[in-house]
Amino acid sequence: MLETSARLLRLLSLLQTPREWPGAELAERLGVSGRTVRNDIERLRTLGYPVDASRGATGGYRLAAGSAMPPLLLEDDEAVAVAVALRNVSRSALAGTEETAGRALAKLEQVLPSRLRRRVRALQQYAVPVPADRPAPHTDTGLLMTLTAACRDHERLRMDYRDHAGATARRLVEPQRVVNWGRRWYLVAWDVDRDDWRTFRVDRLTPLPPAGPRFAPRGDPEGDAAAYVAGKASAAAWRHRARVTVHAPAEAVLERINPAVGTVEPVDAETCVLETGADSLESLGVHLGMLGHDFTVTRPPELVRHLEELAARYARSTRT
């Protein structure tokens, strides 16, 4: 049986898990009686921890939100995971988080047991990221909080938005989701003036207070905001677009295609149409060759010519 102080810490650790704990289960975990659990709950309340209790067959105890933050009690693997996450955040493109995450990581390392501190430092010293091939735009964390709050509260948002050419326009939108893709952040919103869904790069927008009025929430575009952003952001970057008839069922092609690569529409049980693109004809030729199925290029004509040249080159390479 644990001593009272150790038992209280263990009980507090269990209650920090976001669920309700039946008294019988807590008693079993702690190796004490139900009466002792009730007494320990009262001790925690006396110390200022708001522990809610509910009655009934599905009732139990839960740590409620309070005015003060209780000590964060972590298992070994949880502490290592938090340390790794803080290190990754300190290297992210979120403006202002580098120093904050670094301070939090230093505080965590200071209280870690030596066995865990060695593991965390080994990860920091010997696990290194590959630098991004291009600088990522910095995104202000306060701006992300503003956007996610507007999504949560279903409040319309007026903003100035700068497009890829540098031109700025006033937009009125109904924010739906904020999507993170790599080192960039996107706002998915219903554009009121255009009466359609749009994606906006967060580093290019400036909210214009006040927010409001409220709007009726909608479902995510195409049922998945992240997939919608992946498709729209990729397509916007394509220099060459292609429409290809693939002689295979749509289900088979979809196993090799995700929304960031293209869209697949079934024609019949044995044929589908692939809309895809890339920054170069060479890349398009490689991607189409990796489909694993026969296909016919509908457009563009320059891709047809490139594939004809590629086919002739491959044919020459096999001659003895």
Side-chain angles (χ1 to χ4, degrees):
M1 183 182 298
L2 297 173
E3 296 294 333
T4 301
S5 56
R7 191 176 66 245
L8 287 177
L9 287 174
R10 176 60 177 159
L11 174 59
L12 184 58
S13 176
L14 292 172
L15 292 174
Q16 285 178 344
T17 304
R19 54 161 291 192
E20 282 199 352
W21 288 88
E25 187 174 352
L26 288 175
E28 181 179 355
R29 290 288 190 102
L30 299 173
V32 296
S33 66
R35 179 178 180 180
T36 300
V37 168
R38 292 191 293 273
N39 290 337
D40 287 347
I41 293 293
E42 288 305 317
R43 291 190 180 98
L44 289 179
R45 289 170 174 163
T46 302
L47 293 172
Y49 298 111
V51 182
D52 290 340
S54 58
R55 298 182 179 276
T58 60
Y61 298 100
R62 178 192 294 271
L63 189 64
S67 58
M69 181 176 176
L72 188 60
L73 305 175
L74 301 173
E75 304 292 343
D76 286 5
D77 55 347
E78 294 172 340
V80 172
V82 170
V84 172
L86 286 171
R87 174 61 62 187
N88 289 338
V89 169
S90 68
R91 294 168 174 162
S92 73
L94 292 176
T97 60
E98 300 92 338
E99 182 180 352
T100 304
R103 290 199 308 268
L105 181 60
K107 291 178 181 179
L108 178 61
E109 288 181 347
Q110 190 173 12
V111 298
L112 286 176
S114 59
R115 68 181 186 282
L116 296 184
R117 193 180 304 117
R118 293 184 71 247
R119 290 171 59 186
V120 170
R121 287 180 178 173
L123 279 170
Q124 294 172 359
Q125 293 174 9
Y126 298 102
V128 295
V130 175
D133 56 356
R134 65 187 66 180
H138 280 265
T139 302
D140 182 69
T141 52
L143 176 56
L144 287 180
M145 296 300 102
T146 298
L147 297 179
T148 52
C151 295
R152 177 198 63 203
D153 298 334
H154 309 304
E155 292 181 334
R156 283 187 173 182
L157 182 70
R158 291 187 309 117
M159 64 184 186
D160 284 338
Y161 187 70
R162 186 181 73 259
D163 64 19
H164 66 279
T168 301
R170 185 69 47 85
R171 310 292 283 266
L172 177 63
V173 300
E174 297 177 351
Q176 178 75 8
R177 302 280 182 192
V178 176
V179 176
N180 174 225
W181 187 14
R183 303 188 72 186
R184 286 182 176 171
W185 294 82
Y186 295 86
L187 172 67
V188 177
W190 181 265
D191 192 309
V192 176
D193 296 325
R194 290 158 179 80
D195 197 31
D196 200 1
W197 291 106
R198 290 291 189 271
T199 61
F200 304 92
R201 272 183 43 177
V202 170
D203 59 293
R204 292 178 178 170
L205 66 83
T206 303
L208 301 173
R214 291 179 178 271
F215 60 88
R218 307 169 187 266
D220 284 352
E222 300 177 5
D224 188 332
Y228 179 78
V229 167
K232 293 296 182 181
S234 294
W238 291 340
R239 182 181 175 188
H240 299 279
R241 298 171 182 267
R243 182 178 176 85
V244 180
T245 299
V246 184
H247 304 287
E251 294 78 9
V253 178
L254 282 169
E255 293 178 358
R256 296 173 176 267
I257 298 295
N258 64 54
V261 175
T263 60
V264 178
E265 296 181 2
V267 175
D268 52 40
E270 299 299 328
T271 312
C272 62
V273 171
L274 168 64
E275 295 271 1
T276 186
D279 193 47
S280 69
L281 294 174
E282 290 77 9
S283 296
L284 265 176
V286 170
H287 295 156
L288 292 175
M290 295 174 63
L291 281 176
H293 303 286
D294 291 343
F295 59 88
T296 303
V297 177
T298 306
R299 65 170 189 263
E302 55 268 30
L303 177 59
V304 175
R305 292 192 295 270
H306 172 70
L307 291 178
E308 289 173 345
E309 295 172 0
L310 194 60
R313 186 177 305 133
Y314 284 163
R316 290 192 299 269
S317 71
T318 59
R319 294 172 185 168
T320 57

